Amino acid sequence: MKSKGILFATSILAATAISVSAQAQAMIDELVVTAEKREQSLQDVPVAISAFTSKQRDLVGISTVQDLTNFTPGFVYQSSNDRSSMRGIGRLTNVHSVDGAVSIYVDGLFTPSTILGGGPPLDIERVEILRGPQGTLYGRNAIGGTVNVISVRPTNEPYAEVRGIVESFNFTNLQMAVSGPIADGLRMRFSGYKLDQKEGYFKNVTPGLPDEGAVRDEYQFQVQFEADLGENAEFWASYRKLAWHNRGGPGARAGYRGDEFSTGRVDVTTPLVFSSAHGFTPETGLNGIVPGSLKQFNGATSRSNPALVDNRTFSTNIPQRVRLSGVNSFTTNFVYHLPTIDVKYVGGYQEYRYDLYGDADFTAVQSYQIPLAPGSICGTVGGLFSAGLSPVNCTPLTVNANNGYHYFEYNKWYSHEINLSSKNDGPLQWIAGAYYYNQEYLGTGVTADFFLVGPSSLQTPILGAAANPKGYWSTAHYNLTTESKAVFGQIDYQASETLKFTLGLRYTDDRKFGREFRRIVCNSDTCYPGLYPALGLGAFGPGTAANWGSLLGDLNSLAKLAPVFGIPGLAGLNGLGNGAMDLTDTLAPKSNAGLIPGVSSPAITTNGVVRQYVIDPATGVASRNLEGSSDAITGTLGVQWQPDSDTMAYARYSRGYKAFGFSAGSFLAAPRAEEETVNSYEIGFKRDFDRFQLNLAAFFLDYRDLQAPVSVRVGATNVTQFVNIAKSESYGIEFSGIWRPVDQLRLTLDYGWNPTEITEAAKFINLNDNVNTGPVSIVGSPLPQAPEHKVAVNGTYTFEMDQGNLIAGVTYLQRSKSYATIFAREFDSAPAWDQVDLRALWMPSGGKYTVIAYVKNVFDEDGYAAAVEAAQRNNSATVASDRFSNGARNFELTPPRIYGVEIQYRF
């Protein structure tokens, strides 16, 4: 919009002006951070850092992690999958045996989730986001950067506050906090919130089904104790509890499919079962369905993807459901002050259970029938049955099209860290420490466990395979443990009044071990063609639904036809079952070259073929052990120049490391990806003028062995493995400025320019590309989730009155295109987008209460939180309506226009 462009241009000119009035008196507020585990002014820290206090978040309107990324150059967050990236280095999977690249610390305790960074300002004193590898003081895979979340602590004086938020989409959030002393030297703080949203951002057009997208029912409470243990010791402890019963949050619906459904009978994305969307096929005859056989749930009438008309609509029959339970988080800090040294312990334990259920076929199709081919064996048997000449009947196969999925993470971890730091006034300052981390996790693999709801032949696999009572056609999960140990140290030497040198080193040792599980059961035309010839029945025609109809896979009934067809051998099929084919052993990895790296199960060799797995005869699930380790020496070397109290320049080299990973749950022939490393070179300049504050950083990242997910074909299935991309580069310039030309006006600009490129890599097959089906070069592709440009401009003006202050603000956000995968194809991209927000705060004299009114996304534009990989779709050689040249695009949307009011009252 033209008005937005004018606003943006005006704000850029204002925020980048450096000349200031000689009569200026107002100064930029100083912000104290603990980015390097000491209290320092933000302007004195020689790293690129963005920090947000609770006051700033209220002023600008930062209430989610996504909001934090908008104001942080280089930072991207995929809210639907809870994944963070920094300067193109990030987590590209939810498999916990592949570590994140941006480390998240809440009150000093590492957590694998970014969610708590978006906690309410009432609870969060500040959020510090350190960009670039932090491989010395922060060691849990801080190869991309670190996010530090610091809670509001108990107060020395009695204090209480309540906040109420009412928002569009029937959203309410009631928050409270009470704090103060409970005994001499002992303070407590209790806080919590109850959040509900009853209307979703996405409407289900299937009758009787609920809206989805940000529909939430959540609560959280936190209790803290802080004690002075004599003159030299301090103790702080926190317990946090939260729960979700949602159709929103990570994993829930956050976007839409941007293309028509694939209506092929067997979708190449899910070839183990017949495609539910085939019920919508426009084809007739053998390529279609039996006329009139389509049934949909609840009287649904949609015959195509409703998002093509309105991208906030969909049609499914299984609502997505997110449940977060069993969350317990305990964190403790203890500090003892010696005359010249502080000793600090940080430790804690966290656990949670996360379950996500949903519709795997994205339709409301209940069932349909597959037409019989002329001369089919089914038609012959059906005719004989009608004539009383056959003991069994055969009709067109009725497809159960009700596909569901279950994704889960059951996670628990604890850590211990002890630091010793100097506190004298001499030129040499130092900090040293040791760290231990232990995490145990049970979860599904790259995608989820998939099943058919209700009776189906999947429940009774043939040929002696174990029963499958829950109807799973793909089971993939893992149970692993991660251990990480580290020692670290950093020294800062003030060589002169203006020059300081920094040297830091860290040694980290990582070990992962556990077990993965896999079962694959097939009931479609993909799996049966080889069965009948193998049983000597090739003369009966192809093993397809068009030929066998309702007898497909029914070997017991086929045995009853022995006297009818005069073939005695058919009687031998009795007892071999009536159901689907178990492909677990067929598709499990085997080796002719010895043991598989990363697999620690004993080898079983048969005719020169090595198997390192076992199949449980009771469940049919294959399992094998995974085990491995990696270690690294990382660190930093820097120089800092500070000619006066308002100016600081620095140059810094840092080396980062992310541990090796397993693509656990996929049962791959190559399950291990080696560790990642990065060499980071950064120069920066920070300057406080009278009314203007400038932070500038330029960086270059030499990135090695990126762990990237690549889909590979294993038999009839597509699975994701992680490969190492040899070399990549990320470089750029980041600018943050605050300008107060007059006392009442505050203007800010946060801008990041971040080109990235893969410079050396093998060729890979992109299974989502049905045009270029061979190996393709990815050299020259940008890194995933790395928009080249990010802009956030904010302006606030304070109207000062006797009754109080009225602060009016406007924010303009802009982000350029990004890609979800290393292939950087258009169908894997998130388009460029921009957004305007408005905000007003009324702060009466006395400070008892505050009223905030706001509108986010004023012009109701489509914004894209992050890029999402497309789904592979068919490219049929024979069916014209089933050709999708570049897959089916997926888009994750930021919220639509939202308006709301917040009232804060302090006692």
Side-chain angles (χ1 to χ4, degrees):
M1 292 185 177
K2 185 176 180 180
S3 60
K4 291 193 295 181
I6 294 172
L7 168 66
F8 175 56
T10 304
S11 300
I12 289 286
L13 291 172
T16 56
I18 297 181
S19 60
V20 294
S21 169
Q23 291 76 33
Q25 295 180 5
M27 304 293 288
I28 307 299
D29 292 339
E30 181 182 36
L31 178 58
V32 175
V33 297
T34 54
E36 295 201 311
K37 301 196 175 183
R38 298 177 186 272
E39 288 193 352
Q40 296 172 278
S41 168
L42 176 69
Q43 296 304 96
D44 294 334
V45 181
V47 297
I49 177 173
S50 298
F52 306 91
T53 65
S54 59
K55 179 181 176 181
Q56 290 170 331
R57 291 177 61 192
D58 279 343
L59 183 68
V60 177
I62 298 176
S63 57
T64 66
V65 177
Q66 187 64 48
D67 292 335
L68 288 171
T69 70
N70 292 335
F71 291 88
T72 305
F75 189 25
V76 174
Y77 178 64
Q78 188 175 358
S79 55
S80 63
N81 289 315
D82 190 25
R83 301 178 193 166
S84 300
S85 295
M86 201 87 75
R87 294 175 172 174
I89 300 178
R91 185 180 186 187
L92 303 178
T93 176
N94 278 18
V95 177
H96 282 275
S97 50
V98 177
D99 296 320
V102 178
S103 60
I104 316 298
Y105 288 85
V106 179
D107 296 315
L109 184 68
F110 174 84
T111 175
S113 173
T114 315
I115 294 170
L116 292 177
L122 181 63
D123 273 349
I124 305 301
E125 179 181 320
R126 69 181 181 276
V127 179
E128 304 171 358
I129 303 174
L130 288 69
R131 304 190 292 276
Q134 308 296 318
T136 301
L137 300 179
Y138 301 96
R140 277 299 302 151
N141 300 301
I143 188 171
T146 296
V147 178
N148 284 330
V149 181
I150 297 96
S151 296
V152 177
R153 296 300 174 91
T155 55
N156 290 310
E157 301 295 331
Y159 164 84
E161 183 173 353
V162 294
R163 299 185 178 188
I165 304 172
V166 178
E167 216 173 70
S168 48
F169 295 94
N170 206 352
F171 173 97
T172 58
N173 187 352
L174 181 63
Q175 307 169 14
M176 60 78 64
V178 59
S179 176
I182 57 175
D184 187 27
L186 179 62
R187 300 167 293 280
M188 186 192 77
R189 187 176 197 272
F190 180 83
S191 61
Y193 71 79
K194 179 63 175 74
L195 184 155
D196 294 279
Q197 181 169 325
K198 295 182 169 56
E199 297 177 24
Y201 301 150
F202 299 89
K203 178 178 178 57
N204 194 342
V205 298
T206 300
L209 275 295
D211 294 349
E212 297 180 18
V215 175
R216 291 178 285 173
D217 174 6
E218 303 176 6
Y219 74 84
Q220 174 184 294
F221 68 82
Q222 181 184 22
V223 59
Q224 304 176 43
F225 292 93
E226 188 175 60
D228 300 323
L229 306 178
E231 295 183 357
N232 297 319
E234 299 153 12
F235 174 80
W236 172 86
S238 165
Y239 173 74
R240 188 192 308 265
K241 181 80 174 179
L242 63 147
W244 300 347
H245 303 279
N246 292 351
R247 300 196 208 292
R253 189 176 305 278
Y256 69 99
R257 293 205 165 198
D259 295 285
E260 273 287 6
F261 294 127
S262 167
T263 56
R265 185 168 296 169
V266 179
D267 190 325
V268 290
T269 306
T270 56
L272 299 175
V273 291
F274 291 104
S275 170
S276 300
H278 183 60
F280 298 149
T281 182
E283 301 293 332
T284 58
L286 294 180
N287 290 326
I289 64 173
V290 173
S293 65
L294 173 63
K295 294 182 179 180
Q296 297 197 65
F297 286 93
N298 294 19
T301 58
S302 178
R303 297 292 296 267
S304 62
N305 181 4
L308 298 179
V309 177
D310 180 348
N311 62 11
R312 293 193 180 272
T313 61
F314 65 98
S315 177
T316 64
N317 61 280
I318 302 177
Q320 284 186 298
R321 178 166 58 92
V322 175
R323 179 178 174 83
L324 184 68
S325 60
V327 179
N328 293 285
S329 175
F330 175 76
T331 311
T332 183
N333 295 176
F334 173 78
V335 181
Y336 191 84
H337 303 285
L338 295 169
T340 59
I341 298 173
D342 280 348
V343 180
K344 183 176 183 179
Y345 167 80
V346 180
Y349 172 86
Q350 294 188 19
E351 64 181 352
Y352 68 81
R353 296 176 64 87
Y354 172 89
D355 292 277
L356 168 66
Y357 298 89
D359 197 318
D361 57 72
F362 306 101
T363 75
V365 176
Q366 182 175 3
S367 65
Y368 59 85
Q369 289 184 320
I370 296 176
L372 295 176
S376 68
I377 185 65
C378 180
T380 300
V381 171
L384 293 172
F385 179 82
S386 298
L389 301 177
S390 170
V392 297
N393 190 17
C394 189
T395 60
L397 177 67
T398 298
V399 173
N400 176 353
N402 192 11
N403 279 282
Y405 67 84
H406 178 205
Y407 173 90
F408 60 89
E409 298 177 6
Y410 304 151
N411 206 342
K412 57 184 178 181
W413 65 96
Y414 63 89
S415 67
H416 305 283
E417 179 175 330
I418 187 165
N419 296 329
L420 289 82
S421 58
S422 63
K423 61 176 186 178
N424 57 61
D425 295 328
L428 181 66
Q429 299 292 320
W430 56 268
I431 183 170
Y435 180 78
Y436 177 78
Y437 175 81
N438 182 287
Q439 180 185 12
E440 297 179 13
Y441 41 95
L442 170 65
T444 42
V446 175
T447 50
D449 288 346
F450 297 95
F451 53 89
L452 279 178
V453 181
S456 76
S457 64
L458 286 170
Q459 298 169 321
T460 55
I462 60 176
L463 304 177
N468 183 27
K470 294 185 178 180
Y472 281 95
W473 47 269
S474 178
T475 301
H477 48 266
Y478 56 91
N479 189 349
L480 272 78
T481 297
T482 289
E483 281 187 337
S484 183
K485 306 172 186 176
V487 291
F488 58 89
Q490 180 170 305
I491 58 174
D492 295 284
Y493 180 66
Q494 190 78 44
S496 68
E497 290 185 0
T498 61
L499 210 58
K500 180 191 287 187
F501 294 93
T502 297
L503 173 65
L505 288 174
R506 186 182 190 104
Y507 173 73
T508 306
D509 180 79
D510 291 294
R511 179 171 174 250
K512 300 177 183 180
F513 56 92
R515 199 161 182 84
E516 66 173 340
F517 307 88
R518 188 81 166 106
R519 190 177 191 190
I520 304 168
V521 183
C522 179
N523 179 31
S524 75
D525 286 350
T526 302
C527 47
Y528 291 112
L531 171 66
Y532 292 94
L535 295 174
L537 304 176
F540 284 92
T544 63
N547 185 42
W548 288 96
S550 59
L551 291 177
L552 189 68
D554 187 353
L555 303 185
N556 291 340
S557 294
L558 189 58
K560 297 176 183 179
L561 294 172
V564 177
F565 289 104
I567 304 176
L570 290 181
L573 301 178
N574 189 40
L576 295 184
N578 169 22
M581 284 196 67
D582 191 317
L583 301 181
T584 306
D585 186 57
T586 301
L587 299 180
K590 304 167 184 67
S591 173
N592 294 315
L595 301 180
I596 297 174
V599 179
S600 58
S601 294
I604 303 171
T605 304
T606 306
N607 297 324
V609 177
V610 178
R611 290 175 169 83
Q612 287 181 268
Y613 61 90
V614 295
I615 296 179
D616 187 330
T619 64
V621 176
S623 62
R624 65 179 183 179
N625 294 330
L626 301 175
E627 185 173 358
S629 62
S630 64
D631 63 354
I633 296 176
T634 57
T636 189
L637 179 64
V639 59
Q640 182 177 348
W641 178 63
Q642 199 161 6
D644 57 61
S645 61
D646 295 323
T647 307
M648 190 268 284
Y650 67 89
R652 196 149 184 153
Y653 163 79
S654 299
R655 182 168 176 84
Y657 150 82
K658 187 173 92 169
F660 80 102
F662 286 125
S663 49
S666 297
F667 238 68
L668 294 173
R672 173 172 170 144
E674 299 304 321
E675 59 267 25
E676 298 179 357
T677 59
V678 65
N679 293 307
S680 170
Y681 307 89
E682 180 172 306
I683 58 174
F685 177 75
K686 299 184 179 184
R687 169 71 175 170
D688 282 332
F689 299 90
D690 222 5
R691 288 183 178 268
F692 183 77
Q693 185 180 91
L694 169 68
N695 286 351
L696 188 66
F699 62 91
F700 176 82
L701 304 180
D702 175 16
Y703 190 20
R704 305 294 178 99
D705 295 319
L706 158 68
Q707 297 166 2
V710 175
S711 295
V712 295
R713 175 73 76 172
V714 178
T717 64
N718 297 336
V719 294
T720 300
Q721 72 178 37
F722 286 84
V723 299
N724 290 106
I725 306 301
K727 295 181 181 180
S728 307
E729 293 178 355
S730 175
Y731 56 92
I733 296 174
E734 296 167 345
F735 174 96
S736 293
I738 304 174
W739 186 32
R740 300 196 70 166
V742 295
D743 291 354
Q744 295 83 6
L745 181 62
R746 183 179 187 270
L747 300 169
T748 68
L749 169 65
D750 294 282
Y751 170 71
W753 174 63
N754 184 198
T756 62
E757 183 181 7
I758 295 172
T759 58
E760 183 179 324
K763 292 184 177 182
F764 300 102
I765 296 175
N766 184 357
L767 291 183
N768 289 334
D769 190 339
N770 290 313
V771 176
N772 303 304
T773 57
V776 297
S777 173
I778 59 171
V779 172
S781 295
L783 291 170
Q785 309 299 358
E788 185 172 345
H789 300 280
K790 281 185 63 186
V791 178
V793 179
N794 175 260
T796 60
Y797 190 88
T798 301
F799 297 90
E800 298 175 348
M801 296 171 275
D802 292 340
Q803 298 87 351
N805 291 338
L806 175 64
I807 304 175
V810 59
T811 297
Y812 176 75
L813 307 172
Q814 186 185 60
R815 188 177 301 187
S816 60
K817 177 186 292 188
S818 61
Y819 297 90
T821 73
I822 56 175
F823 295 102
R825 298 296 185 259
E826 195 65 26
F827 48 85
D828 287 330
S829 68
W833 60 277
D834 61 358
Q835 177 176 312
V836 173
D837 300 337
L838 298 176
R839 197 167 180 87
L841 295 84
W842 169 241
M843 306 172 69
S845 302
K848 278 287 188 180
Y849 67 92
T850 301
V851 179
I852 305 174
Y854 55 91
V855 182
K856 286 190 171 185
N857 194 5
V858 174
F859 300 103
D860 203 19
E861 301 282 358
D862 285 340
Y864 303 90
V868 185
E869 183 177 3
Q872 186 191 19
R873 286 297 182 241
N874 289 355
N875 189 25
S876 173
T878 58
V879 182
S881 65
D882 194 35
R883 295 171 187 165
F884 299 84
S885 60
N886 287 318
R889 297 168 297 166
N890 290 293
F891 298 101
E892 179 182 336
L893 296 180
T894 57
R897 179 169 50 233
I898 293 172
Y899 52 88
V901 175
E902 177 178 349
I903 299 176
Q904 305 173 359
Y905 187 81
R906 287 164 283 276
F907 296 89

